[in-house]
């Protein structure tokens, strides 16, 4: 089964959808309560700061930790990779005459394929944490940091237990859990060795800190031989640092105030071996671009927030050892996933992971950088457009002009393979228009409009509305005649060379116009220039340009407020969809929603209004089943809110949602926020 077929299968799996919807709903319902009790933002800053300090001094931390625990452990060894780790563990087990092993809280061992290695050598290994045990007996890897079997429904677990043990249990959580616990406990009486991990380790006390809810760890560490396997990135200098991680971890991971058990272990009762796993961590700690990956505290919050993960699970969106957004980063760090670019391409780029990450890691940007590192050529027409045409707007304009005669009302070829590749089986696409930026005449001004490709070739009416709003507010708006695309499509597909060419063309050209403020109607464009131009190219010119760009919607709102302009109301029931890059990249989307709340008495809050609609440009063609699934969720939320008008501030979101509504025959109007302003403003 190829990846696209697997994507289709998983998005149509109703049991999986139920399980993932339950995960997301339960987690965020509890997290909302936790956030009302604790300042999680402050705690995230604390953890970010301590991880920065400790990763910066990782070499020294490792030396000092070795010295500290030398006297309390039977043997300690730093292992550089999987082979060394497995060799040392084989040596221990042979020396100690072990055959039966129990494990707990040992996710790091996935990096070294420990279970399969031991099984091949005839050892009897039992995972004692329920989720880990279920995926073990189903012969598959964990799919979530803290809920390894989240992809398994009650019905599937019941079927697994019947097939594996010949029992006919009711499809009842308590009955099945009780049975599983009995089977797991059988392993404790036979075992001679326990293998554990740890959430954090402190140099100050030489202690390992282990969080759990089931308490099996306490039986595992009672074995005659205990092996602790921990990544060296988890070493911190002080007990306070360790407790700060322990404090945030349950709140972020499972939205609990604390876990049921916190074990602080210096040495267990039996012989104690410590395996400190490097596996590329020391090298990564010296990489200025990617060392941020080591700030991860393995809470799994990014998985709960990710729209792709919560659509297809870690069954598809995963590297070899780890799943989800952070799974891309950790798999890259472990160098264990040959097709890492393919995994990175599963990321939709919505930045929900960045927003929630406990260590404030810039996950989405790091994934883009990983894509770029492993991208050689983007195939087909898309590759041709990205690499050659988007940086020569003359060719794009000519193509749009000719296409306008073929696809004036709707972009549809009536060739099944092409139309399906465009996603026309689940959404309609607007007709192609001649380029807006050359068809409108405006005079030079200090305030400029960079319309962007979507407005130029698909939605010129939004551009016209922006010019009209500016005029009503007394702003002379100069529409820039673009020389190139902003470069976002190239960068988001890993085409660094093409993206950097766009950076160069646009930076030189836009600065030469002398614009004090450059407005954008597409959040992708402004976010690309504000963040990625600086990261891709650096230099004072890109920094200067990044200071001049702004979302047109927020610019106009500030103008309305500062001038005390009175606006009309539309009066009908309306709602707002948050574009991802406006919400989490530019952090101004809440301003737009607040304006609507204040101005429209019939404003309706839409369920999951900030969840990605599934567009993300060419992503919707690369991963059509994920895109279609997210679009269906979005449409259902909008329909259930009983509104007549949906407002957003991204042409891509309009294309996706309006196209979906047209396909389903739903008559809900969708407006760009700037178009909404044009309706409620009169000439000032």
């Amino acid at each position: 089964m190829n990846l696209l077929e697997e994507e289709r299968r998983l998005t149509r799996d109703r049991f999986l959808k139920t399980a993932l919807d339950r995960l997301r709903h339960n987690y965020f319902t509890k997290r909302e309560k936790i956030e009302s009790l604790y300042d999680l933002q402050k705690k995230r800053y604390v953890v970010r700061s301590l991880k920065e300090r400790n990763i910066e001094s990782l070499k020294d931390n490792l030396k000092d930790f070795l010295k500290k625990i030398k006297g309390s452990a039977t043997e300690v060894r730093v292992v550089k990779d999987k082979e060394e780790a497995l060799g040392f563990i084989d040596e221990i087990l042979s020396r100690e005459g072990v055959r039966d092993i129990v494990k707990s809280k040992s996710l790091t061992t996935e990096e070294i394929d420990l279970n399969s290695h031991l099984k091949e050598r005839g050892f009897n290994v039992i995972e004692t944490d329920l989720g880990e045990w279920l995926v073990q007996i189903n012969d598959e890897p964990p799919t979530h940091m803290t809920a390894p079997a989240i992809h398994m429904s009650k019905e599937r677990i019941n079927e697994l237990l019947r097939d594996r043990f010949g029992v006919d249990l009711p499809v009842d959580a308590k009955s099945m859990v009780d049975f599983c616990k009995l089977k797991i406990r059988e392993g404790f009486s036979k075992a001679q060795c326990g293998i554990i991990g740890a959430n954090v380790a402190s140099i100050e006390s030489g202690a390992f800190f282990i969080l759990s809810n089931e308490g099996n760890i306490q039986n595992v560490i009672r074995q005659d031989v205990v092996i602790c396997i921990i990544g060296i990135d988890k070493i911190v200098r002080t007990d306070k640092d360790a407790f700060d991680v322990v404090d945030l971890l349950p709140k972020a991971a499972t939205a609990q105030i604390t876990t049921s058990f916190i074990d602080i272990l210096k040495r267990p009762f039996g012989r104690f071996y410590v395996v400190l796993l490097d596996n590329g961590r020391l090298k990564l700690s010296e990489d200025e671009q990617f060392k941020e990956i080591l700030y991860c505290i393995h809470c799994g919050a990014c998985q709960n927030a990710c729209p792709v993960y919560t659509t297809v699970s870690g069954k598809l969106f995963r590297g070899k050892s780890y799943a989800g957004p952070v799974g891309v980063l950790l798999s890259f760090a472990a160098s264990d996933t040959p097709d890492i670019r393919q995994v990175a391409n599963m990321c939709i780029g919505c930045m929900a992971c960045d927003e929630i990450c406990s260590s404030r890691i810039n996950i989405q940007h790091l994934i883009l950088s990983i894509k770029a590192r492993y991208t050689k050529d983007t195939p087909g027409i898309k590759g041709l457009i990205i690499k050659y045409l988007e940086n020569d707007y003359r060719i794009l304009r000519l193509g749009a002009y000719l296409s306008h005669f073929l696809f004036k009302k709707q972009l549809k070829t009536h060739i099944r393979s092409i139309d399906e590749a465009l996603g026309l089986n689940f959404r309609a696409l607007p007709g192609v228009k001649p380029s807006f930026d050359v068809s409108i005449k405006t005079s030079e001004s200090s305030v400029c409009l960079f319309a962007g490709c979507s407005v130029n070739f698909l939605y010129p009416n939004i551009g016209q509305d922006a010019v009209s709003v500016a005029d009503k507010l007394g702003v002379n708006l100069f529409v820039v005649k673009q020389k190139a695309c902003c470069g976002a499509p190239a960068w988001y597909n890993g085409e660094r060379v093409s993206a950097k060419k766009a950076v160069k063309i646009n930076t030189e050209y836009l600065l030469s116009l002398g614009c004090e403020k450059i407005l954008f109607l597409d959040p992708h464009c402004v976010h690309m220039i504000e963040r990625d131009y600086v990261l891709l190219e650096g230099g004072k010119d890109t920094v200067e340009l990044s200071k001049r760009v702004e979302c047109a919607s927020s610019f106009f709102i500030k103008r309305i407020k500062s001038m005390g302009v009175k606006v009309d109301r539309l009066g009908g029931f309306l709602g707002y969809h948050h574009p991802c890059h406006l919400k989490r990249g530019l952090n101004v989307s809440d301003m737009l929603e607040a304006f609507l709340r204040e101005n429209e008495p019939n404003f309706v809050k839409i369920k999951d209004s900030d969840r990605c609609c599934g567009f993300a440009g060419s992503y919707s063609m690369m991963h059509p089943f994920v895109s279609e699934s997210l679009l269906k969720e979005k449409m259902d939320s909008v329909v259930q809110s009983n509104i007549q008008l949906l407002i957003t501030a991204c042409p891509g979101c309009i294309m996706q949602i309006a196209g979906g509504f047209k396909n389903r025959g739903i008559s809900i109007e969708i407006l760009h926020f700037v178009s909404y302003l044009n309706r409620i403003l009169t000439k000032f």
Side-chain angles (χ1 to χ4, degrees):
M1 184 181 293
N2 66 34
L3 288 175
L4 204 56
E5 288 173 350
E6 180 69 352
E7 182 181 318
R8 182 203 294 265
R9 184 186 72 80
L10 291 170
T11 54
R12 283 155 174 70
D13 186 328
R14 63 186 181 89
F15 290 114
L16 178 65
K17 178 169 175 51
T18 299
L20 294 173
D21 284 349
R22 187 186 300 120
L23 164 74
R24 189 163 58 91
H25 173 76
N26 290 346
Y27 175 78
F28 283 103
T29 299
K30 292 193 294 180
R31 184 167 177 124
E32 189 176 339
K33 293 176 183 176
I34 286 289
E35 288 177 344
S36 71
L37 298 172
Y38 299 94
D39 186 349
L40 290 197
Q41 297 305 318
K42 183 178 179 181
K43 292 180 185 296
R44 289 171 67 214
Y45 275 111
V46 168
V47 168
R48 167 78 185 201
S49 177
L50 74 86
K51 289 297 287 186
E52 283 179 353
R53 291 195 314 271
N54 284 288
I55 295 305
E56 195 65 35
S57 57
L58 184 56
K59 278 186 178 178
D60 291 336
N61 279 6
L62 182 56
K63 290 176 186 176
D64 292 343
F65 189 65
L66 282 167
K67 291 176 186 175
K68 185 70 179 182
I69 66 169
K70 197 172 183 180
S72 57
T74 306
E75 188 174 351
V76 185
R77 192 177 297 181
V78 179
V79 292
K80 70 177 182 180
D81 54 25
K82 171 182 174 178
E83 286 68 31
E84 276 197 12
L86 294 176
F88 182 39
I89 293 166
D90 283 345
E91 184 183 318
I92 296 167
L93 299 178
S94 175
R95 183 193 311 163
E96 296 286 355
V98 168
R99 297 313 302 168
D100 296 281
I101 301 164
V102 284
K103 292 177 69 201
S104 180
K105 312 308 295 181
S106 56
L107 185 61
T108 302
T109 63
E110 292 295 323
E111 282 186 43
I112 59 174
D113 288 322
L114 182 60
N115 283 7
S116 58
H117 173 82
L118 294 176
K119 184 178 178 181
E120 286 171 6
R121 280 155 179 74
F123 292 95
N124 179 34
V125 183
I126 297 177
E127 294 283 358
T128 64
D129 298 314
L130 180 57
E132 291 277 5
W133 182 76
L134 286 169
V135 296
Q136 182 190 24
I137 64 171
N138 202 37
D139 196 26
E140 60 180 339
T143 59
H144 191 280
M145 286 286 188
T146 58
I150 191 60
H151 59 285
M152 299 173 72
S153 64
K154 288 189 295 184
E155 292 78 9
R156 292 218 168 121
I157 292 171
N158 187 272
E159 184 181 334
L160 171 64
L161 296 177
R162 183 172 61 251
D163 292 346
R164 185 75 170 75
F165 301 105
V167 293
D168 190 14
L169 298 170
V171 184
D172 167 71
K174 186 179 185 306
S175 300
M176 291 189 289
V177 168
D178 287 345
F179 174 81
C180 293
K181 284 182 176 179
L182 286 172
K183 299 303 292 183
I184 289 169
R185 284 180 194 140
E186 291 174 5
F188 290 125
S189 59
K190 300 176 183 176
Q192 306 95 35
C193 174
I195 294 178
I196 63 171
N199 299 103
V200 62
S202 168
I203 297 169
E204 182 181 350
S205 60
F208 298 88
F209 294 69
I210 308 163
L211 282 70
S212 66
N213 280 315
E214 297 175 46
N216 297 315
I217 188 76
Q218 294 170 16
N219 288 317
V220 173
I221 62 176
R222 287 194 177 98
Q223 303 306 315
D224 293 337
V225 177
V226 175
I227 303 171
C228 180
I229 304 168
I230 181 173
I232 59 174
D233 55 303
K234 294 182 180 179
I235 300 169
V236 296
R237 184 147 292 278
T238 68
D239 288 346
K240 182 183 183 305
D241 283 350
F243 278 113
D244 282 335
V245 173
V246 166
D247 178 36
L248 177 59
L249 196 48
K251 297 173 180 65
T254 50
Q256 296 173 269
I257 293 174
T258 187
T259 49
S260 301
F261 301 91
I262 300 174
D263 289 277
I264 302 173
L265 176 70
K266 284 193 173 183
R267 74 165 292 150
F269 301 102
R271 292 174 295 286
F272 186 37
Y273 296 89
V274 178
V275 183
L276 298 172
L277 182 64
D278 178 357
N279 208 26
R281 288 165 171 83
L282 277 174
K283 183 180 179 182
L284 198 66
S285 71
E286 296 173 346
D287 187 318
E288 286 303 315
Q289 184 177 16
F290 290 109
K291 67 181 179 183
E292 233 188 317
I293 295 172
L294 299 176
Y295 302 166
C296 177
I297 61 170
H298 297 232
C299 67
C302 64
Q303 297 169 321
N304 301 337
C306 174
V308 178
Y309 179 90
T310 53
T311 299
V312 296
S313 81
K315 293 283 287 181
L316 182 63
F317 188 14
R318 67 171 302 111
K320 186 175 182 299
S321 305
Y322 300 102
V326 78
V328 180
L329 306 189
L330 296 175
S331 298
F332 166 77
S335 300
D336 64 1
T337 306
D339 57 346
I340 189 66
R341 179 180 182 258
Q342 195 165 262
V343 181
N345 278 335
M346 286 295 300
C347 170
I348 202 166
C350 70
M351 292 171 288
C353 50
D354 291 12
E355 186 177 48
I356 204 168
C357 175
S358 295
S359 301
R360 303 183 62 85
I361 300 169
N362 297 297
I363 298 174
Q364 187 250 10
H365 176 70
L366 290 172
I367 291 176
L368 292 178
S369 299
I370 290 167
K371 280 187 190 181
R373 178 170 287 199
Y374 290 96
T375 295
K376 293 180 180 177
D377 286 299
T378 301
I381 295 173
K382 186 175 82 168
L384 177 68
I385 294 171
I386 287 172
K387 293 185 75 172
Y388 302 108
L389 302 186
E390 70 172 27
N391 285 327
D392 191 336
Y393 234 61
R394 294 169 301 177
I395 300 176
L396 282 183
R397 285 196 183 96
L398 177 61
Y401 178 77
L402 296 174
S403 298
H404 171 63
F405 295 102
L406 295 171
F407 312 113
K408 192 170 186 178
K409 292 184 178 180
Q410 184 176 342
L411 181 55
K412 190 168 187 176
T413 67
H414 300 286
I415 300 170
R416 183 177 177 181
S417 59
I418 295 176
D419 288 347
E420 284 188 358
L422 291 170
L424 297 184
N425 55 318
F426 63 88
R427 62 163 184 226
L429 292 178
V432 181
K433 312 294 192 299
S435 190
F436 161 75
D437 60 349
V438 294
S439 63
I440 190 167
K441 304 301 178 186
T442 55
S443 57
E444 290 188 10
S445 169
S446 61
V447 183
C448 302
L449 176 68
F450 186 104
C453 301
S454 295
V455 171
N456 277 333
F457 303 125
L458 299 171
Y459 295 110
N461 59 299
I462 298 174
Q464 294 280 3
D465 287 337
V467 174
S468 177
V469 170
D471 181 59
K472 290 175 180 178
L473 294 174
V475 177
N476 181 26
L477 188 64
F478 173 58
V479 177
V480 173
K481 183 179 177 181
Q482 286 180 228
K483 288 194 172 183
C485 168
C486 69
W491 180 228
Y492 276 64
N493 281 280
E495 295 284 356
R496 185 189 295 270
V497 173
S498 184
K500 290 186 77 166
K501 186 177 178 182
V503 173
K504 186 175 186 299
I505 293 170
N506 286 316
T507 302
E508 290 178 358
Y509 175 53
L510 293 175
L511 288 178
S512 74
L513 297 174
C515 304
E516 294 176 9
K517 185 67 69 176
I518 306 169
L519 307 183
F520 293 79
L521 296 164
D522 191 328
H524 290 81
C525 297
V526 64
H527 189 229
M528 177 72 186
I529 294 175
E530 185 181 272
R531 182 192 71 172
D532 295 312
Y533 274 30
V534 177
L535 293 168
L536 277 168
E537 196 62 44
K540 63 180 182 179
D541 286 346
T542 53
V543 171
E544 178 58 36
L545 181 61
S546 72
K547 293 175 182 177
R548 300 187 191 186
V549 301
E550 185 172 352
C551 159
S553 299
S554 61
F555 174 84
F556 289 139
I557 288 175
K558 291 175 197 172
R559 182 88 176 177
I560 290 168
K561 298 282 189 183
S562 66
M563 296 172 65
V565 177
K566 291 185 178 180
V567 296
D568 295 331
R569 295 172 174 171
L570 291 187
F573 289 94
L574 56 84
Y576 179 69
H577 163 68
H578 288 274
C580 297
H581 287 259
L582 200 68
K583 170 76 173 174
R584 291 176 280 268
L586 302 172
N587 300 309
V588 296
S589 194
D590 289 344
M591 180 195 299
L592 278 60
E593 181 176 311
F595 183 91
L596 292 169
R597 284 180 179 276
E598 291 171 13
N599 194 58
E600 298 291 343
N602 294 323
F603 178 84
V604 178
K605 178 73 173 179
I606 298 167
K607 178 187 174 185
D608 293 333
S609 60
D610 62 349
R611 185 162 164 88
C612 182
C613 69
F615 181 62
S618 61
Y619 185 94
S620 61
M621 293 182 277
M622 292 165 56
H623 298 286
F625 304 110
V626 171
S627 180
E628 181 183 9
S629 181
L630 291 173
L631 172 60
K632 184 180 183 303
E633 280 183 23
K634 182 59 62 177
M635 290 193 294
D636 289 346
S637 295
V638 174
V639 170
Q640 289 163 14
S641 66
N642 293 313
I643 59 173
Q644 299 149 325
L645 173 65
L646 178 67
I647 295 170
T648 187
C650 173
C653 297
I654 292 172
M655 196 185 311
Q656 177 86 336
I657 302 169
F661 281 162
K662 187 171 182 179
N663 255 24
R664 281 173 57 169
I666 297 170
S667 56
I668 296 175
E669 186 180 9
I670 303 181
L671 279 182
H672 193 286
F673 190 87
V674 165
S675 301
Y676 162 76
L677 290 179
N678 195 36
R679 288 193 186 182
I680 63 171
L681 280 169
T682 53
K683 183 81 173 178
F684 182 69

